[in-house]
Amino acid sequence: MTQVTESGWLVVAGLGPGEEALVTQEVRDAIDAATDIVGYIPYVKRIAPRDGLVLHASDNRVEVDRATHALEMAAAGRRVVVVSSGDPGVFAMASAVFEALEAGPNDWLELDIRVLPGITAMLAAAAQIGAPLGHDFAAINLSDNLKPWSLIESRLRAAGEAGFAMAFYNPRSQSRPHQFAHALEILRAACGEDTLISFARDVTKPTQEITTVALKDARPEMADMRTMVIVGNRDTRAIGRHVYTPRYAEGSAP
């Protein structure tokens, strides 16, 4: 049986989209108090080494193993921070930690576990674009690593036909080069070819690029794994260099 000590704790923290100024003070304080940092290699590299701090970096596809290791260390009395980019509860490590908690010994239920929010890539991208998520919206992960592509297709159609703006994580990778082209076909049919789509690459970094076009002009190669894609609804419009979705829906008074 695992012995849970009183001094151990586990924090799941969001490091934001990349710009250090966007890391919350609450997250900084947790990192300063930690004995161990756990996370995907590029995110752990963002943490400055110091005496008394152990960095545990691992590959991207071992989320539950990583979470289990973090819980084991917290149960042994360590002060552990599991780091994610963006917000840990949005397609990130918070769910993996609770999956590992559910599968682990009952003792772990007594652990001090906290989730600290961060600024998501979705919200950082939307802020750079203007206000494309100003009305109802949906966030969809386009990776089919953890769900079938058929489910992604049905969610794209449903969200588009319902008039949601949409934010897409993980739109196109080297192992999935063709799926995003099919996603664009679905979106054109569900949302209309004149609906605006924005591609936000390397948001908040010096290499940031923002491109907005109509869906009929969107090309698959405009997106990669460093790109956040935001599609408006039929009311979304461009005002100068800004894009926004009105707060009101058709048929209601502004």
Side-chain angles (χ1 to χ4, degrees):
M1 180 177 290
T2 305
Q3 181 64 42
V4 176
T5 68
E6 293 183 1
S7 57
W9 48 255
L10 188 151
V11 163
V12 194
L15 297 178
E19 168 58 52
E20 291 304 314
L22 298 181
V23 181
T24 70
Q25 188 59 50
E26 185 180 36
V27 168
R28 294 180 190 276
D29 291 344
I31 291 170
D32 288 344
T35 58
D36 298 83
I37 303 292
V38 177
Y40 178 38
I41 297 165
Y43 309 150
V44 173
K45 284 183 177 179
R46 291 179 58 183
I47 308 301
R50 59 171 167 78
D51 291 341
L53 180 67
V54 182
L55 303 178
H56 306 265
S58 55
D59 189 68
N60 196 31
R61 296 202 178 188
V62 293
E63 288 92 345
V64 175
D65 290 343
R66 183 186 303 146
T68 299
H69 183 211
L71 287 161
E72 289 171 345
M73 289 192 292
R78 308 288 289 179
R79 302 185 300 277
V80 184
V81 176
V82 177
V83 291
S84 291
S85 66
D87 182 281
V90 180
F91 306 125
M93 279 302 298
S95 288
V97 167
F98 291 115
E99 286 178 32
L101 180 67
E102 184 176 17
N106 288 336
D107 306 46
W108 286 359
L109 299 176
E110 303 302 318
L111 283 169
D112 177 8
I113 300 173
R114 289 165 284 153
V115 179
L116 304 185
I119 296 173
T120 72
M122 171 180 67
L123 298 182
Q128 295 296 320
I129 294 163
L133 305 179
H135 194 59
D136 299 337
F137 68 90
I140 302 174
N141 188 339
L142 295 186
S143 170
D144 61 352
N145 288 334
L146 298 175
K147 59 180 181 286
W149 178 251
S150 59
L151 179 60
I152 295 172
E153 288 182 335
S154 66
R155 288 178 175 174
L156 289 173
R157 290 191 184 94
E161 291 171 359
F164 286 103
M166 287 169 271
F168 300 134
Y169 286 75
N170 303 317
R172 184 171 178 266
S173 70
Q174 290 184 349
S175 63
R176 298 181 288 106
H178 307 301
Q179 292 173 342
F180 187 59
H182 188 40
L184 289 175
E185 293 175 1
I186 293 171
L187 292 168
R188 292 183 188 111
C191 305
E193 291 194 340
D194 292 326
T195 297
L196 296 178
I197 179 171
S198 297
F199 299 85
R201 192 171 192 270
D202 287 347
V203 173
T204 77
K205 299 175 183 177
T207 51
Q208 173 178 296
E209 297 178 11
I210 306 292
T211 302
T212 299
V213 297
L215 271 171
K216 62 186 175 186
D217 298 318
R219 303 185 309 277
E221 58 269 23
M222 288 178 168
D224 61 15
M225 289 295 282
R226 291 160 56 185
T227 306
M228 192 78 210
V229 179
I230 297 182
V231 178
N233 64 24
R234 291 177 186 266
D235 295 323
T236 302
R237 62 201 67 176
I239 304 295
R241 64 183 180 86
H242 305 291
V243 174
Y244 88 103
T245 300
R247 296 170 297 123
Y248 51 87
E250 184 178 349
S252 64

